[in-house]
Amino acid sequence: MYKKILVATMGEYIDEIIDHTLDIIGEENTEVIGLYVVETSVPFLTLKKVKELMKEELTKLGKEILDSMEKKFQAPHRYKINFRKLLLDGDPSEEIVKTAEKEDVDLIVLGTGKNMIDKRLLGSVSEKVVHSAPCTVLLIRNEMKTK
Amino acid sequence: MLELVIFILLLIFALIIVIKSADIFVDNLIDIGGALGISQIILGVTASAIGTSLPEFGSAMIASLSGNVDMGVGTVIGSNIWNIAAILGISAIAAGVIRTDSRGINRDSLMTLITGIILIVFMLLGDINWIASVTMILLYLFYLWLLIKSQKEYKKGKDKEELANEKTVKQPVDKRKVLFVIIGLAGLIIGCRILVYSGVELARMAGIPEMIMGLFTLAIGTSIPELVVTLSSAMKGLYELSIGTILGSNTFNILIGIGMPALFMSIPVEKLSLTFDAPVMIFVTVLLLFLVKTRGKLTRVGGIILLATYIAYAVIRLTVLV
């Protein structure tokens, strides 16, 4: 049904996201793009070296997350999946939407599970993506958090 | 009234100069260190802790040398209480959780606690003199040595290939960077001088003790870098940087922020500092350790407890004990 899927994660709910995506794909030939966005925005008066350190650490984390995604999507029995990694810098919701438009994907898969307080304080990437996505969006609810 | 507004604006202006100068100074100093092949000495969390603490150190140093010792000591102790109780409290509330399960955090929190106890011991012995100063500076050097050692051990565990890529090669020092180090240092000194001057004048105009000015206005103002680093890194999930910056800053504030001025002059101990402010500083450190040890992380509830403790301290200090 979906030929090209964008799977975006910030590291949370990664297992649930992968499992649900694999369920949807089934035995179909599908192109999957794994996306991690390094959030580069920092407040005014942040030390330059600290800003560099944050970017470095988040890039390292992003690579690890994408590698673990690659392992699952590229397992030998999943030969029908064509997986690609994408590591970008910027605002996560903006980059997810931009990538979906540029790559012309059919589906965006994202995790969600923040409570009301977290949404207010930290903001919600999934909410922003849902409002401006050019295609269908699948939100994977984190069961551990919502229980 | 106009005079009051001018001095408040001057204080804000000085704070921005101090923080930006500290940034320029640390940034270029580390780059020069890198060119000389010694960049690995001050890295990551350590650089963040020292860089964010330079405004407190500069203010304490300038205040003490210009005869406003109470303000200097107040800035250091006030910053340490604010850093743990308010900044970590606010960060834990905003981020929801700050995980604290790394070995580095255990080492740094223990060091922060030991440092606070050492300060109280020296305060009990009377004025903080050059013997206390040398002890504190040597202790900080020992702590730096521990950090370098643990960094080397960490590197040993890395892939050889990765190590080869990271190998630092000596390069000629960029003269512009040396110039920026000097500009940063000059900005730090001038900014701190203006900051202390405006702080002293504001205290005089408002009729409040210099100690209070140091404990709250200067302490909170000079801790803006800690606030932005700790809060943003906690929200990005970089917990070690978040809590490590606070713990490293507190250790630096006491051992260098008080230790260095005490090398030049004996620092008198104000009674309330010894009987209330310093014990509160130890208390919030112990409270933090208790909160993180029981669950292996600082939760939102823990953050609320810390922030409430700071509010209670500020209310008591500003209303009952002035």
Side-chain angles (χ1 to χ4, degrees):
Chain A
M1 188 180 178
Y2 298 107
K3 295 286 170 205
K4 200 171 184 181
I5 302 175
L6 177 65
V7 183
T9 176
M10 301 297 285
E12 290 171 306
Y13 336 126
I14 180 81
D15 291 333
E16 291 97 325
I17 292 173
I18 294 171
D19 290 345
H20 278 83
T21 311
L22 289 171
D23 275 352
I24 291 168
I25 292 170
E27 295 299 316
E28 300 290 320
N29 281 316
T30 314
E31 188 178 345
V32 177
I33 303 168
L35 173 65
Y36 180 90
V37 184
V38 176
E39 198 186 353
T40 46
S41 66
V42 287
F44 175 59
L45 293 177
T46 302
L47 302 183
K48 201 177 153 202
K49 276 281 175 278
V50 174
K51 190 181 169 184
E52 287 169 8
L53 178 69
M54 281 181 180
K55 195 178 168 188
E56 205 176 287
E57 288 292 317
L58 289 174
T59 305
K60 206 160 78 183
L61 179 72
K63 280 179 183 163
E64 281 171 14
I65 289 166
L66 289 175
D67 285 347
S68 74
M69 277 174 99
E70 187 177 34
K71 265 186 198 165
K72 287 211 174 180
F73 283 113
Q74 296 285 63
H77 62 288
R78 307 215 186 272
Y79 61 92
K80 286 190 171 179
I81 298 176
N82 177 15
F83 181 77
R84 209 156 32 101
K85 294 184 280 187
L86 206 54
L87 187 75
L88 300 172
D89 292 350
D91 177 76
S93 53
E94 275 178 25
E95 293 304 323
I96 291 167
V97 173
K98 266 193 225 167
T99 307
E101 283 167 352
K102 196 177 145 199
E103 296 283 348
D104 195 22
V105 301
D106 311 308
L107 174 72
I108 301 172
V109 184
L110 284 169
T112 186
K114 280 181 185 150
N115 58 36
M116 283 308 286
I117 301 168
D118 283 337
K119 272 184 188 168
R120 288 273 164 253
L121 293 170
L122 299 168
S124 169
V125 172
S126 56
E127 270 185 12
K128 289 179 195 164
V129 171
V130 165
H131 286 128
S132 34
C135 59
T136 308
V137 180
L138 175 66
L139 294 179
I140 310 299
R141 183 156 290 278
N142 177 265
E143 285 168 18
M144 289 286 281
K145 276 216 165 182
T146 46
K147 264 178 190 171
Chain B
M1 184 64 188
L2 182 69
E3 207 184 358
L4 190 74
V5 173
I6 290 171
F7 275 108
I8 290 172
L9 289 175
L10 195 64
L11 188 108
I12 295 168
F13 172 69
L15 267 175
I16 294 172
I17 292 184
V18 168
I19 295 166
K20 285 313 279 180
S21 301
D23 187 9
I24 293 168
F25 178 74
V26 172
D27 185 34
N28 288 282
L29 194 67
I30 291 175
D31 284 348
I32 291 172
L36 294 170
I38 52 167
S39 72
Q40 308 308 325
I41 290 174
I42 308 171
L43 264 188
V45 179
T46 315
S48 174
I50 295 176
T52 55
S53 278
L54 280 180
E56 285 94 319
F57 164 64
S59 308
M61 190 81 184
I62 298 282
S64 302
L65 293 179
S66 55
N68 309 99
V69 181
D70 280 356
M71 188 176 276
V73 175
T75 305
V76 169
I77 296 179
S79 277
N80 280 15
I81 299 171
W82 167 259
N83 280 352
I84 288 185
I87 295 183
L88 277 179
I90 291 168
S91 301
I93 292 168
V97 67
I98 300 178
R99 298 192 193 285
T100 57
D101 44 7
S102 85
R103 236 180 70 198
I105 289 169
N106 286 336
R107 176 201 57 216
D108 294 342
S109 53
L110 192 65
M111 189 64 190
T112 307
L113 186 62
I114 291 171
T115 304
I117 293 168
I118 285 172
L119 178 69
I120 287 207
V121 169
F122 281 130
M123 286 169 103
L124 282 169
L125 294 173
D127 292 355
I128 300 169
N129 57 19
W130 70 270
I131 299 171
S133 162
V134 171
T135 311
M136 287 200 270
I137 294 168
L138 285 176
L139 189 61
Y140 191 76
L141 292 176
F142 170 70
Y143 176 54
L144 268 186
W145 175 77
L146 278 182
L147 293 176
I148 295 163
K149 207 177 121 195
S150 73
Q151 209 162 55
K152 278 182 183 165
E153 276 170 17
Y154 170 74
K155 282 197 165 290
K156 267 185 201 168
K158 277 188 162 186
D159 290 341
K160 279 182 183 173
E161 196 184 322
E162 208 175 320
L163 257 174
N165 289 338
E166 282 186 12
K167 213 172 187 178
T168 44
V169 182
K170 281 189 186 180
Q171 288 165 355
V173 174
D174 186 346
K175 281 177 187 160
R176 273 181 312 175
K177 291 202 179 293
V178 178
L179 182 69
F180 276 119
V181 167
I182 296 166
I183 291 172
L185 189 61
L188 197 60
I189 294 168
I190 295 165
C192 285
R193 188 71 198 91
I194 302 170
L195 187 69
V196 171
Y197 170 68
S198 49
V200 170
E201 286 303 310
L202 281 171
R204 185 185 56 78
M205 277 182 229
I208 54 171
E210 283 182 14
M211 187 69 170
I212 294 290
M213 202 65 192
L215 277 171
F216 295 98
T217 315
L218 258 59
I220 294 171
T222 54
S223 292
I224 290 171
E226 278 92 340
L227 177 65
V228 293
V229 168
T230 307
L231 183 60
S232 61
S233 52
M235 289 172 91
K236 285 174 196 285
L238 300 172
Y239 303 119
E240 191 157 356
L241 176 63
S242 182
I243 200 161
T245 297
I246 291 294
L247 296 172
S249 285
N250 278 18
T251 302
F252 183 88
N253 281 348
I254 290 179
L255 296 180
I256 302 298
I258 291 182
M260 202 61 100
L263 198 62
F264 300 94
M265 59 185 298
S266 194
I267 294 180
V269 175
E270 205 213 12
K271 203 182 161 197
L272 262 178
S273 283
L274 177 65
T275 55
F276 190 65
D277 301 320
V280 169
M281 183 181 75
I282 303 283
F283 173 73
V284 293
T285 312
V286 174
L287 180 63
L288 172 72
L289 286 177
F290 172 75
L291 290 171
V292 301
K293 283 288 166 197
T294 46
R295 303 189 76 176
K297 60 190 173 186
L298 184 61
T299 59
R300 187 166 277 146
V301 173
I304 293 169
I305 293 170
L306 283 174
L307 191 60
T309 306
Y310 185 81
I311 294 168
Y313 161 72
V315 169
I316 294 170
R317 192 65 172 88
L318 291 169
T319 56
V320 185
L321 298 173
V322 180

